[in-house]
Amino acid sequence: MADEQKSPGFFAELFAPIAGFGVTFSTMFRKVVTEEYPEEKRPTARRFHGRHQLNRHPDGLEKCVGCELCAWACPADAILVEGATNDDTPIEDGGAGRFSPGERYGRVYQINYLRCIFCGLCIEACPTRALTMTNFYELADNNRADLIFTKEQLLAPLQSGMVQPPHPMVEGLEERDYYLGAVTAATDAQRAHVEEQSMRHTQEPTEEVH
Amino acid sequence: MTTTPTQATDLVTLTIDGIEVSVPKGSLIIRAAEEAGIEIPRFCDHPSLDPVGACRQCLVEVWMPGPPGPDGTPSEARQMQGPPGRMKPQASCTMTVAPGMVVKTQVTSEAIDKAQQGVMELLLINHPLDCPVCDKGGECPLQNQAMSAGRETSRFEDSKRTYPKPVNISSQVLLDRERCVLCARCTRFSDQVAGDPFIALVERGALQQVGIYEEQPFESYFSGNTVQICPVGALTGAAYRFRSRPFDLVSTPSVCEHCASGCAQRTDHRRGTILRRMAQNDPEVNGEWNCDKGRWAFAYSSVGDRFEFPMVRENGELRVASWPEALRVAAAGLGHANASGVLVGGRVSAEDAYAYAKFARQVLGTNDIDFRARPHSAEEADFLAASVVGTGPQGGAVTYTDLGSASTVLLLGFEPEDESPIVFLRLRKAFRKNKTRVYAVSPVASRGLAKMGGQLIASAPGTEAEVIAAIKAGRGSKRVEEAAAALAEGGVILVGERLATVPGALSAAAALAEHTGARLAWVPRRAGERGALEAGAFPTLLPGGRLVTDASARAEVALAWDLAGLPDTPGRDCAGIVAALRSGELDGVVIGGVDPFDLGIGDADAVLGGAFVVSLEQRPSAATAYADVILPVATVAEKSGTFVDWEGRPRSFEAALTTTYVSDYRALDMLADEMGHFLGCRTQREVADEMTSLGAGTGPRPTAPNVPPAEPRQVADGHLVLATWRHLLDQGSMQDGEPFLAGTAPRATARVSATTAQTLGLADGDEVRVDLVTGACVVALVTISEMADHVIWLPTNSAGSDLRVALATEGGDHVFVTKDGDA
């Protein structure tokens, strides 16, 4: 069979040693696919499964009710939740405060990103849309402890119109009104409550000195 | 006489979904279906409660055989019908079986499947979809059966009925009214089983709900069972509310440590914390119930004052020490002591008690060991040795089942509802189902006695021996004669631990049992007492009920323990040890879970101050305040072991939590090791194996004591005789850390008879001041129609009436009673 092959010809033989560079030369004029990470951070796909976030109602109260359905749904056992009762007793009378509308809130919330496989089943399980995923993907560290994210890290930042819980629900509204969209922003009463509490908080140490 | 249903002959054969089953006559269709392995959905049906047919979820199609034809054989089966031509579904939880009946469930009848789905749809109309925040979510019969017998969509479009949530039925039980499906399980339980009908269905139609009487709170010792049997999340316990979900709990079978009833329980825990305890079904013991104390009083181990490390007293102050150092100090102290005793307390497991018993004999060389941290007597020791130790269900001793079938039960110095609540439930069931007659020799007819249909044979404290003798003689009041006649027909006598305080009473009880042929059982109050008795933590008994005075029994035990011999003189009992510590005859003591106040020691300093005290404890007590060495030990959830219930039935339990705490036997083993002895009590297995191989003694049983009754003391003018026992829920240290439970504890009241109140010029509701030997208390007065005259009853250890600690007094004392405010 081999003796039947034709000779490639004069020019082909002449350029054969540099033929491989043809690919190189042609690629030089193509668009570069290399991402300049981490100098340049490109957006992910819109529905990329990134780090979780615990959302808030428009007045700043947490949406999480501590039901643990996310923890139950998690195939990697990465989520730990402990619920507790919202307490409308005034804080000066020993009340623990209100963190969510309704009776129950998530007192402890942890996601272990060493275990999480970003499957999103927890998001599907969440009955209040408290847990969603962001597009944030920079989840690497040099120790294990820091990869267990706690509630403070996972909670969505306060946006305009929100005030930091604990504070009471919007006056005159029930839990269900929060899900019906009746709440649009923190009311003046809620703001006043939070301010009063923070004032009390800052004053307390000086009182103790006297 | 006892009626035992003859089951074999009364079988009824019927067909359910094509499967032929034979069940006892009178069975319900739903039970027969269970026999056939067919599960019919249900909410209101509960095997231990009377049928009610409230929820209609268990509908089935029923065909009955037609009337017999000319040849006598039944004609073709006919379907039970409602409106002409239409099948009428029947509630299988209320309909009893009949011969030849043909039943079709949702498995074979499409119409029934549709009917059940319809009922489910109606039940769910007003049921909120708050499963994510409901404590029942994940273990909810409604959730499960909505999946199995319901439709995936609802046709209901209006907004659901809602109520403000939740309502406190008691401080411990919370009601979410919109979740309720009106199955009436809770109300039926309270009414039928517990006899505390403080909750009922009120209002009508869509507004029907479980309600409480305004003037009477839901203060029942058994309210926790309503939470457990609620088939939806309508009733929840405040202690567990929102604490966890069923799927993150780890369950460990356990046995209750609070009384000698021996309830099977389930300890649910998560990451080293106990979150709740539930009653487990054990038909021979607790059925499927428990009391609120067993269910909710478990927080004492986590109130934050546990001894986590050994402590050693240095320059008068306790400081944390390492185990080797603490053991060295304890060994040196006990080694230097001339003579030491052992106070075990009634709360330890049988294995622990065995280790104490062996430690006392082998290491301390003494029989000065006693588990009775309560009023007791030498007569009681003889009584226990003669009539109690070594008996058990295998040996034909009285069991719960026997209580259920007994014709007559006589209670002596024993208040079942307060002192052994499951005995109370069993007696109430016996009264309801078996017409068992209950008589109580007691100063006061309690509400618990009324719930058992019991009759009071009134006796002032101190006169019990005479009253029992009168029953034996069959002469006295009409009721005494009735009781005597009833007992002679066969019955059961239950003796409580309080009878030990009355000289001659236990002798009289044993004599009465022998005279009438009635069977006798002793019901202690604490969980560990019976086990400690069997394990030989007793001055006159070695393990297995062997007598200390019996040389061959001693030799048997010495051989098993690989010792040359055992001390041969009976030891001091608890009071004797305390007296010897006071006088200095004993200058060392090993104390288990004993509170000096329980022993009536108001001046613990005089008793324990001069001695070398080694305390094996969980939490600080009045004893640890004087301890020279404290060895921290495990609570019941942290160790495995065995309690022996009042029947003599061993109740083994596993450790629920894995901790570094050791059980008492391990601590004693290490201490013995430090003192140069090998105790052989390193693991529970090792102790249990040794106890088993040693077995019960075969020596002769001593004869019952024969102590004559004491002459009753004359009651001085204006004085009353004090009667007292503990409420089930009181200030006991093992109920610490559970405020919701404490909220349901009965308030302290002074009870006197109407005549006595009249004589003293007092009326119901008056605040009275009761002057005792060493103090006084002020409580509200309640007049009782049936009660011995010239007697006042006070709870022993309730808020406002702490006779144990502040007053250091016991029943039988004479007290002076005045209206508060009068000088």
Side-chain angles (χ1 to χ4, degrees):
Chain A
M1 295 285 279
D3 53 341
E4 280 176 36
Q5 267 188 342
K6 273 187 175 177
S7 155
F10 175 74
F11 283 106
E13 275 184 14
L14 184 66
F15 289 109
I18 55 165
F21 288 110
V23 176
T24 311
F25 285 130
S26 61
T27 306
M28 278 177 177
F29 303 103
R30 288 210 191 117
K31 200 181 166 205
V32 176
V33 294
T34 311
E35 291 179 14
E36 297 294 323
Y37 180 87
E39 286 81 17
E40 188 193 332
K41 285 170 189 166
R42 307 251 313 256
T44 61
R46 271 182 58 229
R47 302 179 75 168
F48 175 78
H49 284 189
R51 202 199 83 170
H52 299 77
Q53 170 172 290
L54 283 170
N55 298 314
R56 295 176 188 271
H57 288 288
D59 64 350
L61 286 176
E62 296 158 14
K63 283 188 173 176
C64 177
V65 294
C67 72
E68 303 187 26
L69 288 182
C70 47
W72 200 10
C74 182
D77 199 9
I79 308 183
L80 181 143
V81 189
E82 276 181 31
T85 314
N86 281 314
D87 191 353
D88 278 331
T89 319
I91 289 174
E92 49 270 31
D93 296 347
R98 167 172 291 283
F99 293 88
S100 76
E103 278 188 282
R104 177 173 177 148
Y105 76 101
R107 186 177 60 82
V108 175
Y109 200 101
Q110 295 178 1
I111 296 181
N112 183 346
Y113 282 106
L114 293 161
R115 302 197 71 137
C116 180
I117 58 170
F118 299 93
C119 64
L121 289 180
C122 47
I123 309 307
E124 283 184 45
C126 184
T128 61
R129 290 231 153 245
L131 190 67
T132 52
M133 278 171 149
T134 63
N135 291 342
F136 183 82
Y137 52 81
E138 290 179 301
L139 292 162
D141 214 321
N142 57 6
N143 68 91
R144 287 167 182 273
D146 285 352
L147 281 166
I148 298 171
F149 278 50
T150 57
K151 187 175 157 187
E152 293 68 39
Q153 294 166 279
L154 292 168
L155 266 174
L158 291 169
Q159 289 176 336
S160 65
M162 295 180 178
V163 285
Q164 178 74 39
H167 60 72
M169 284 159 66
V170 173
E171 54 277 21
L173 295 190
E174 286 180 48
E175 182 189 7
R176 68 162 71 176
D177 299 321
Y178 275 78
Y179 297 105
L180 296 173
V183 179
T184 50
T187 60
D188 292 342
Q190 286 175 313
R191 284 177 194 286
H193 176 91
V194 172
E195 252 164 55
E196 191 191 333
Q197 291 305 329
S198 65
M199 292 282 282
R200 193 185 303 277
H201 201 66
T202 48
Q203 276 169 11
E204 251 168 27
T206 51
E207 277 169 14
E208 273 168 21
V209 171
H210 290 293
Chain B
M1 199 38 224
T2 316
T3 52
T4 323
T6 48
Q7 289 168 346
T9 52
D10 289 351
L11 286 182
V12 172
T13 302
L14 71 159
T15 310
I16 303 176
D17 288 338
I19 303 169
E20 205 172 80
V21 281
S22 295
V23 291
K25 192 178 169 190
S27 298
L28 299 167
I29 295 177
I30 199 165
R31 294 281 104 71
E34 284 168 6
E35 290 285 310
I38 297 157
E39 192 181 334
I40 301 171
R42 84 288 301 268
F43 296 109
C44 70
D45 171 70
H46 193 284
S48 303
L49 301 175
D50 294 347
V52 65
C55 73
R56 316 311 290 180
Q57 187 59 53
C58 63
L59 296 176
V60 292
E61 186 180 334
V62 177
W63 297 62
M64 293 296 283
D71 59 344
T73 52
S75 56
E76 204 173 315
R78 296 176 182 184
Q79 191 185 47
M80 291 185 80
Q81 297 207 317
R86 271 189 257 161
M87 183 266 286
K88 180 170 185 179
Q90 303 289 326
S92 60
C93 74
T94 52
M95 190 176 216
T96 51
V97 294
M101 187 186 255
V102 177
V103 177
K104 290 182 181 174
T105 71
Q106 74 278 4
V107 179
T108 50
S109 168
E110 263 181 44
I112 284 302
D113 197 29
K114 190 168 176 231
Q116 288 183 356
Q117 288 177 8
V119 172
M120 181 65 75
E121 189 174 6
L122 288 167
L123 284 177
L124 289 177
I125 276 182
N126 274 322
H127 190 87
L129 287 177
D130 63 352
C131 302
V133 295
C134 174
D135 281 335
K136 204 82 177 180
E139 55 178 7
C140 176
L142 180 61
Q143 221 176 22
N144 295 344
Q145 289 175 159
M147 295 289 180
S148 66
R151 300 193 183 106
E152 52 267 45
T153 52
S154 171
R155 289 171 285 176
F156 184 70
E157 285 173 352
D158 283 315
S159 53
K160 297 192 178 207
R161 173 202 62 188
T162 54
Y163 289 107
K165 15 165 57 183
V167 177
N168 266 84
I169 285 192
S170 69
S171 73
Q172 182 64 268
V173 181
L174 303 171
L175 168 67
D176 289 288
R177 287 170 290 177
E178 70 269 38
R179 289 182 192 153
C180 179
V181 294
L182 303 170
C183 70
R185 270 191 185 183
C186 53
T187 55
R188 279 181 295 149
F189 170 84
S190 303
D191 187 20
Q192 295 164 13
V193 178
D196 299 317
F198 295 139
I199 52 175
L201 288 172
V202 296
E203 305 288 354
R204 293 273 165 181
L207 292 177
Q208 196 172 40
Q209 54 184 273
V210 176
I212 49 173
Y213 298 118
E214 291 214 345
E215 60 272 21
Q216 275 187 309
F218 186 40
E219 278 179 9
S220 169
Y221 287 155
F222 306 99
S223 62
N225 293 298
T226 61
V227 175
Q228 186 167 348
I229 60 174
C230 181
V232 295
L235 292 175
T236 47
Y240 178 68
R241 196 168 169 88
F242 301 158
R243 294 281 305 279
S244 159
R245 308 310 310 259
F247 41 84
D248 43 40
L249 295 175
V250 180
S251 300
T252 311
S254 56
V255 173
C256 182
E257 77 274 34
H258 287 293
C259 82
S261 292
C263 289
Q265 293 197 328
R266 197 181 86 199
T267 300
D268 288 351
H269 50 99
R270 176 184 65 186
R271 293 194 296 284
T273 313
I274 303 173
L275 288 167
R276 65 173 178 182
R277 295 205 304 199
M278 313 279 274
Q280 284 284 75
N281 189 1
D282 190 336
E284 300 230 301
V285 180
N286 56 315
E288 47 204 298
W289 316 122
N290 68 353
C291 71
D292 289 358
K293 191 171 169 181
R295 182 178 301 268
W296 284 316
F298 57 81
Y300 63 90
S301 63
S302 52
V303 289
D305 61 354
R306 284 288 292 279
F307 293 121
E308 290 178 43
F309 307 100
M311 309 270 272
V312 167
R313 192 171 296 277
E314 197 174 63
N315 304 325
E317 290 291 320
L318 283 171
R319 64 164 175 84
V320 169
S322 67
W323 271 96
E325 186 194 358
L327 290 171
R328 200 171 59 241
V329 175
L334 289 175
H336 287 136
N338 294 319
S340 304
V342 181
L343 295 174
V344 182
R347 300 187 179 100
V348 295
S349 69
E351 286 84 353
D352 288 339
Y354 179 83
Y356 279 106
K358 196 172 175 185
F359 185 85
R361 271 74 183 222
Q362 181 180 344
V363 181
L364 302 177
T366 177
N367 282 315
D368 289 348
I369 175 170
D370 198 351
F371 67 82
R372 295 172 294 175
R374 55 177 171 80
H376 56 278
S377 64
E379 183 191 359
E380 188 193 23
D382 294 340
F383 171 79
L384 295 179
S387 309
V388 176
V389 72
T391 60
Q394 275 81 38
V398 180
T399 62
Y400 279 109
T401 315
D402 294 338
L403 293 184
S405 59
S407 58
T408 308
V409 175
L410 177 65
L411 309 173
L412 303 176
F414 175 48
E415 175 60 31
E417 194 183 20
D418 281 320
E419 296 178 316
S420 194
I422 302 305
V423 172
F424 163 77
L425 286 187
R426 199 52 84 109
L427 287 175
R428 179 169 160 79
K429 187 179 171 193
F431 157 64
R432 285 185 68 242
K433 305 276 181 188
N434 190 40
K435 306 263 186 296
T436 300
R437 282 163 296 179
V438 178
Y439 295 93
V441 174
S442 169
V444 50
S446 61
R447 215 167 61 83
L449 186 64
K451 286 185 272 189
M452 297 181 289
Q455 310 221 45
L456 179 74
I457 299 173
S459 63
T463 65
E464 285 90 346
E466 284 98 337
V467 174
I468 298 168
I471 300 173
K472 185 186 163 202
R475 279 194 301 276
S477 66
K478 188 162 168 287
R479 196 167 285 172
V480 168
E481 286 171 13
E482 277 172 19
L487 269 185
E489 292 170 28
V492 173
I493 301 175
L494 292 182
V495 179
E497 64 177 31
R498 282 181 284 118
L499 215 55
T501 58
V502 185
L506 285 167
S507 308
L512 175 66
E514 191 168 353
H515 179 75
T516 56
R519 300 164 72 198
L520 187 66
W522 177 68
V523 188
R525 206 171 56 81
R526 293 195 175 120
E529 296 220 346
R530 186 63 198 274
L533 177 68
E534 304 293 336
F538 207 58
T540 59
L541 293 174
L542 295 170
R546 294 172 177 85
L547 288 171
V548 163
T549 49
D550 180 353
S552 63
R554 277 203 313 276
E556 207 180 337
V557 175
L559 183 69
W561 289 354
D562 202 12
L563 298 176
L566 294 178
D568 54 357
T569 47
R572 296 179 177 93
D573 63 8
C574 197
I577 293 171
V578 169
L581 283 168
R582 202 187 291 271
S583 69
E585 278 177 71
L586 290 181
D587 53 358
V589 63
V590 177
I591 299 189
V594 176
D595 192 326
F597 297 133
D598 277 339
L599 304 170
I601 305 174
D603 53 341
D605 191 35
V607 177
L608 299 174
F612 185 81
V613 180
V614 178
S615 177
L616 283 73
E617 254 299 1
Q618 303 159 355
R619 296 170 53 209
S621 75
T624 58
Y626 296 96
D628 294 288
V629 178
I630 297 169
L631 303 177
V633 291
T635 60
V636 72
E638 296 154 356
K639 65 184 182 187
S640 56
T642 309
F643 285 126
V644 182
D645 76 355
W646 64 270
E647 305 164 283
R649 189 192 298 271
R651 308 288 289 159
S652 298
F653 56 90
E654 296 164 29
L657 308 179
T658 311
T659 62
T660 53
Y661 288 111
V662 297
S663 196
D664 298 36
Y665 56 76
R666 175 89 179 119
L668 287 169
D669 181 271
M670 291 191 286
L671 182 56
D673 207 33
E674 190 69 29
M675 296 175 77
H677 292 268
F678 175 67
L679 205 59
C681 296
R682 288 165 298 191
T683 63
Q684 195 242 333
R685 180 76 180 274
E686 192 173 36
V687 185
D689 283 353
E690 190 171 301
M691 290 170 78
T692 315
S693 69
L694 197 54
T698 49
R701 198 173 263 279
T703 51
N706 188 13
V707 176
E711 279 295 313
R713 286 153 61 194
Q714 288 297 313
V715 183
D717 231 18
H719 279 66
L720 299 177
V721 184
L722 177 68
T724 181
W725 62 71
R726 284 168 166 83
H727 279 309
L728 181 71
L729 299 177
D730 59 7
Q731 296 183 324
S733 58
M734 285 164 90
Q735 297 160 56
D736 288 351
E738 189 44 82
F740 302 114
L741 178 65
T744 65
R747 275 183 300 280
T749 50
R751 301 179 189 168
V752 295
S753 73
T755 325
T756 309
Q758 209 172 15
T759 322
L760 294 171
L762 299 169
D764 230 5
D766 281 354
E767 291 281 316
V768 294
R769 178 186 162 84
V770 184
D771 285 295
L772 301 134
V773 181
T774 54
C777 61
V778 178
V779 287
L781 187 83
V782 176
T783 57
I784 306 283
S785 54
E786 244 194 308
M787 183 167 172
D789 290 332
H790 308 297
V791 174
I792 184 166
W793 182 90
L794 290 169
T796 311
N797 187 21
S798 293
S801 172
D802 195 343
L803 313 190
R804 199 185 53 108
V805 177
L807 314 169
T809 189
E810 283 157 24
D813 282 354
H814 294 182
V815 296
F816 188 66
V817 181
T818 46
K819 189 167 176 173
D820 191 36
D822 297 358

